[in-house]
Amino acid sequence: MSPTEPAPARKSIPHVDFALDDLDSDEERYLDFYRKVAVREDMLVPLAQHHDGTHSYYVLFDRTATWGHPGTPQLVAVHLQRDYEEQTFSFEHAPLPLPAMAQSWLIHRGCPPDAIGLDPELGPPPADEATRALERRLAEDGDHYAMGYSYTRDDPEDMVVVVVLRAMDERAPSPFRVVVEEVDTDAWTHTLRESGFDTVGEALQWCEDRLTGKAGPLPPSRSAAAASRPAGVVKAPAPRPPGRSR
């Protein structure tokens, strides 16, 4: 699954329903949710969602992101908890660059891992087993790394997402991981790959080279130990790169 707009010929685009009717007794919270999430509700595509009693979990593709700051993540993870007795709700949300990272963010907030699968008709499927395996690790084992940088390019000539992750364990070998998603728009599939770097500068330089067309293939991980460690969930929104354009 890719954070790129679903192909219109494959399936009519569904709309998200946050089901918050009559839960507006806390006006300040309601307005906060509107400003941060629901203001663009008609442009949010639910790639995955799960409802469990008073809790709802969403992986949303934000179609407005393509017109925002270049490189901005195009996915939003949203967790809602409703209080019907008080007629209000609470929420958390995070912009994220990859669907698996959005899934991981929700799983670590109580969503069952097997309940937040992505709609296979709303994006290019994985091209190979290596992609599927890495996406599973990103979704299910997302507490090993924090995100430090991401850049999403939705140019049909070069659809790519690059992410730099930092190991939470300072003793980890190759503590900076680069995760790269590339979409083959002809085959309508996507691949996901990762590698390890010793310094943040090396990781960022590879991403810069990839975005400017100077990079070769992502180098192999520098040690078996590093390769066996899962990449992880975003702990905070990624900083945006200065001076780049789509």
Side-chain angles (χ1 to χ4, degrees):
M1 196 65 155
S2 169
T4 56
E5 187 155 0
R10 287 171 168 77
K11 182 177 181 177
S12 59
I13 298 176
H15 297 283
V16 65
D17 181 3
F18 293 118
L20 295 177
D21 294 345
D22 303 322
L23 297 181
D24 57 358
S25 63
D26 187 331
E27 183 177 358
E28 184 176 346
R29 181 171 299 167
Y30 193 89
L31 290 175
D32 188 40
F33 180 73
Y34 178 80
R35 287 191 296 265
K36 293 178 178 177
V37 180
V39 65
R40 56 192 187 278
E41 183 172 344
D42 61 343
M43 296 294 285
L44 296 174
V45 180
L47 303 183
Q49 55 186 309
H50 173 65
H51 309 283
D52 182 10
T54 60
H55 292 264
S56 289
Y57 306 88
Y58 303 88
V59 177
L60 304 171
F61 173 74
D62 182 3
R63 290 188 286 168
T64 70
T66 190
W67 300 300
H69 193 287
T72 299
Q74 296 185 346
L75 296 170
V76 182
V78 177
H79 173 213
L80 291 175
Q81 183 173 5
R82 301 171 184 84
D83 185 334
Y84 293 107
E85 182 175 340
E86 297 295 330
Q87 295 186 319
T88 187
F89 65 94
S90 59
F91 75 97
E92 296 178 89
H93 78 294
L96 302 169
L98 295 171
M101 289 183 173
Q103 290 171 308
S104 180
W105 189 90
L106 294 170
I107 289 167
H108 283 82
R109 282 155 180 79
C111 184
D114 59 355
I116 198 68
L118 302 167
D119 188 328
E121 296 187 46
L122 290 177
D128 50 32
E129 181 54 35
T131 296
R132 286 186 285 270
L134 179 51
E135 287 176 337
R136 285 192 296 268
R137 289 197 288 121
L138 281 166
E140 297 179 7
D141 298 313
D143 58 347
H144 292 75
Y145 284 75
M147 189 176 75
Y149 164 79
S150 78
Y151 193 94
T152 298
R153 172 181 286 159
D154 57 7
D155 182 345
E157 299 299 319
D158 184 25
M159 270 187 192
V160 62
V161 179
V162 294
V163 182
V164 176
L165 304 169
R166 177 182 56 81
M168 301 300 289
D169 182 355
E170 295 181 356
R171 299 166 298 177
S174 298
F176 298 95
R177 311 295 293 178
V178 170
V179 180
V180 183
E181 182 188 73
E182 297 177 322
V183 176
D184 183 334
T185 54
D186 292 327
W188 195 240
T189 60
H190 75 275
T191 58
L192 193 68
R193 298 291 187 265
E194 69 169 341
S195 185
F197 293 84
D198 292 333
T199 69
V200 66
E202 290 177 304
L204 290 172
Q205 185 61 57
W206 191 92
C207 292
E208 175 75 23
D209 290 345
R210 173 60 185 84
L211 293 169
T212 56
K214 300 175 183 178
L218 191 66
S221 295
R222 298 189 177 180
S223 72
S228 67
R229 286 181 172 269
V233 71
V234 171
K235 302 296 183 182
R240 296 168 178 170
R244 293 196 184 122
S245 60
R246 287 190 182 89

